[in-house]
Amino acid sequence: MAKNIPVVQKVLSGNDEIAAQNRQLLDDYGVYGINMMASPGAGKTSLIEKTVQYLRNSLNIGMINGDIATTFDAERAQKAGAVAVAVNTGGNCHLEAHMIRDALAELDLSEIDLLIVENIGNLVCPAGWTLGTHKNVLVASIPEGDDKPYKYPGMYRGVDVLVINKIDLLLYIPFDMNRFKQGVEILNPGLATFVSILSDGGRVARLDSMDM
Ligand code: MG
Ligand code: ZN
């Protein structure tokens, strides 16, 4: 008689399960999803506006905008040329997969190529909630200080791309770029890192191509 073999399986939590369904839905429609995270005021919405303006002629862009109380950012994305859905979390400090599922139901996915999710401004818990998007992008900014990778390791560890915004402010604000880069490298070796240049219309360049 065959002995019962114990099978150990990772049981997906409720959130992870819904996130996997979201991912499947995006894949079925050929939609590429990006989850943008940052602290409040880092410049997520401005970067999204610029991205939509640059890409709107070649890609149809959908936007899911997480906000605690307003639809300001969704309106800005809409104005820039995206089809936007606002998710008001009613005080919740991060987006969860079921909120994305409900928002996706409001979008015509057959008409969308790129989906940008703007998460709630917060460097703590958004990192712990998968949404079903393909890539996690973190927007950092110079005024936040060079110590943030050390203070919010969970966020810096979990992202696929880092954009350092407001790089022009290095001229005015004490920020040790080497200290910042070392902190990132310990947590997320080789992380693809870009800078966004305000004075150049928000142009984005690779950090390793810059002289700093
Ligand atoms: Mg915003
Ligand atoms: Zn939260």
Side-chain angles (χ1 to χ4, degrees), residues 45 63 65 70-79 84-86 118:
T45 311
M63 170 87 217
N65 207 279
T70 76
T71 56
F72 295 164
D73 292 355
E75 287 160 25
R76 285 172 62 182
Q78 187 101 265
K79 218 171 160 192
V85 177
E118 180 174 358

Side-chain angles (χ1 to χ4, degrees), residues 81-152:
V83 182
V85 177
V87 176
N88 274 351
T89 62
N92 202 348
C93 49
H94 58 269
L95 289 174
E96 298 179 18
H98 68 91
M99 301 173 188
I100 300 305
R101 178 189 60 198
D102 295 347
L104 288 174
E106 301 292 326
L107 290 166
D108 181 358
L109 294 178
S110 63
E111 291 290 317
I112 290 172
D113 306 306
L114 174 67
L115 175 77
I116 304 175
V117 177
E118 180 174 358
N119 216 309
I120 306 289
N122 174 353
L123 291 179
V124 187
C125 41
W129 294 83
T130 53
L131 302 179
T133 46
H134 297 86
K135 295 284 181 208
N136 289 319
V137 177
L138 173 62
V139 183
S141 67
I142 298 302
E144 291 168 44
D146 52 31
D147 58 354
K148 290 304 169 287
Y150 302 92
K151 295 182 80 165
Y152 299 98

Side-chain angles (χ1 to χ4, degrees), residues 142 164 167 170 177-178 181 195 207-212:
I142 298 302
I164 307 172
I167 196 81
L170 278 176
M177 184 56 81
N178 281 326
K181 279 159 80 172
V195 298
L207 176 62
D208 47 25
S209 73
M210 307 282 291
D211 181 26
M212 62 180 60

